[in-house]
């Protein structure tokens, strides 16, 4: 008897009309934008500014951990030549540079 009464009134639950689902999607979109997309876009913009500011004589750190001084910058091919020692040069992509170090860092190492 109890089971029959539970299924007797199928339309007894109120419906919200779908607005609660739309509000939840808007909240999730805002969380996605502020927590994921915006910080990543900011990092990409900072890295582009770093790559465009590279010049001859800058001391740089690559993503592979190589520290050296920029000997030559090629604008059209997106490559730079890093001088590690007097007769040792390495060619890397500009995008592999992770940081520009302060002047005099190489002498302190």
């Amino acid at each position: 008897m109890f089971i029959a009464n539970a299924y007797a009134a199928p339309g007894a639950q109120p419906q919200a009309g779908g607005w609660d689902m739309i509000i939840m999607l808007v909240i999730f979109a805002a969380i996605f934008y502020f927590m994921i997309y915006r910080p990543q876009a900011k990092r990409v913009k900072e890295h582009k500014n770093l790559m465009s500011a590279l010049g001859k004589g800058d001391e740089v750190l690559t993503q592979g951990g190589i520290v050296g001084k920029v000997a030559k910058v090629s604008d059209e091919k997106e490559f730079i030549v890093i001088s590690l020692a007097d007769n040792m040069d390495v060619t890397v992509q500009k995008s592999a540079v992770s940081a520009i170090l302060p002047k005099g860092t190489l002498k302190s190492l």
Side-chain angles (χ1 to χ4, degrees):
M1 183 93 144
F2 176 72
I3 296 173
N5 288 336
Y7 293 109
Q13 295 178 351
Q15 294 185 3
W19 282 105
D20 57 345
M21 184 64 77
I22 292 172
I23 292 171
M24 189 176 2
L25 287 174
V26 168
I27 290 172
F28 281 141
I31 289 171
F32 177 78
Y33 177 77
F34 286 109
M35 298 288 285
I36 297 172
Y37 179 75
R38 189 170 174 225
Q40 180 65 26
K42 189 175 180 181
R43 274 186 238 118
V44 168
K45 184 178 178 182
E46 288 174 358
H47 193 256
K48 281 184 181 181
N49 290 338
L50 175 105
M51 289 188 308
S52 66
L54 280 176
K56 186 176 179 179
D58 288 340
E59 296 176 2
V60 295
L61 171 68
T62 65
Q63 292 175 353
I66 297 173
V67 177
K69 187 178 281 192
V70 176
K72 181 180 173 186
V73 178
S74 173
D75 291 329
E76 54 197 46
K77 294 185 180 180
E78 297 294 322
F79 288 97
I80 60 172
V81 176
I82 297 176
S83 177
L84 303 176
D86 290 334
N87 294 325
M88 184 183 291
D89 294 337
V90 177
T91 303
V92 298
Q93 288 183 332
K94 284 184 180 180
S95 61
V97 175
S98 62
I100 297 177
L101 302 173
K103 299 288 183 187
T105 303
L106 288 175
K107 290 181 182 180
S108 66
L109 295 177

